Amino acid sequence: MVNQESEREKRKAERMALETEVEFIVDADVIQAKSIDVSETGIRIETDDSIKVCMRLNIDGEKKDMEGQLVWTKKNEKGGMTYGFQYTPPADSDE
């Protein structure tokens, strides 16, 4: 069982609930990866760099573009997937 207190301690910023439409823009570049293991139902891979995506969120009626990197995934109760992204500075930023 995951210790919820230790999970909160890892967070650098407080979370707030926000249900809104999000558009994903996934870069069409070919990403090189190395397989770790494989089975009849899937494969585990690792990459040298993170998998980056652009996201467009509708916040208070205004579209806001954000860039992020995929940091975790898990199957949800509805049979779909839930993804966690960490925001990253835009590629044209000096950060």
Side-chain angles (χ1 to χ4, degrees):
M1 182 172 220
V2 175
N3 180 339
Q4 289 182 349
E5 188 63 36
S6 65
E7 286 296 318
R8 277 187 237 128
E9 290 172 14
K10 292 180 189 177
R11 300 214 185 282
K12 294 181 181 177
E14 184 178 340
R15 288 192 184 264
M16 58 185 196
L18 172 67
E19 286 192 32
T20 187
E21 294 296 316
V22 178
E23 296 174 341
F24 283 92
I25 303 136
V26 181
D27 195 356
D29 286 343
V30 174
I31 300 171
Q32 295 295 316
K34 178 182 174 187
S35 65
I36 303 300
D37 53 40
V38 64
S39 73
E40 288 184 18
T41 59
I43 186 170
R44 180 168 54 145
I45 63 169
E46 67 179 23
T47 62
D48 290 336
D49 295 313
S50 59
I51 297 175
K52 295 180 177 77
V53 299
C54 295
M55 297 167 273
R56 182 166 293 139
L57 290 75
N58 185 345
I59 301 176
D60 296 329
E62 198 173 312
K63 301 246 181 187
K64 183 167 182 165
D65 290 344
M66 304 293 292
E67 291 185 16
Q69 64 185 14
L70 179 64
V71 293
W72 61 264
T73 65
K74 70 178 182 179
K75 194 164 207 104
N76 63 37
E77 296 124 13
K78 299 175 187 174
M81 297 296 294
T82 301
Y83 301 93
F85 292 90
Q86 179 179 22
Y87 293 131
T88 58
D92 58 357
S93 156
D94 290 335
E95 290 182 43

